[in-house]
Amino acid sequence: MEKIRKGDEVVVIAGRDKGRRGTVVQCLAGDRLVVGGVNRVKKHTRPNPMKGQPGGILEKEMPIHVSNVALFNPNTQKADRVGFKVLEDGTKVRVFKSTGELVKA
């Protein structure tokens, strides 16, 4: 079970985009995430008439390491660490470390 999943709202805690918030768009193999609106770069592309693709400068989101983001806690309005807890019925859930509340998925 991963601490950060697709659809979670995260805060960047290190790097060029420190302090920015965004939603996890994609979880890549290993320990990298694509977060919407974070780590945007300009990519220069050549036109490809076979694919009908125009050339120019595109802006796209690049992957960011999972250690550089933290889950956003809506109650405290801050970044928070995530832990795991097993409920009475045997299900494993994610909880915020600071408050112990369940993470709404």
Side-chain angles (χ1 to χ4, degrees), residues 13-65:
I13 56 175
R16 187 181 71 201
D17 293 319
K18 183 176 180 175
R20 278 221 178 126
R21 257 172 47 192
T23 305
V24 177
V25 177
Q26 185 180 15
C27 294
L28 300 173
D31 44 10
R32 297 183 93 55
L33 308 168
V34 176
V35 181
V38 173
N39 200 22
R40 293 183 66 81
V41 296
K42 291 183 189 290
K43 180 162 175 63
H44 298 255
T45 59
R46 296 180 70 112
N48 189 345
M50 297 293 282
K51 293 183 181 175
Q53 182 181 20
I57 302 171
L58 302 174
E59 219 172 290
K60 63 183 271 189
E61 287 124 6
M62 293 299 285
I64 188 168
H65 197 268

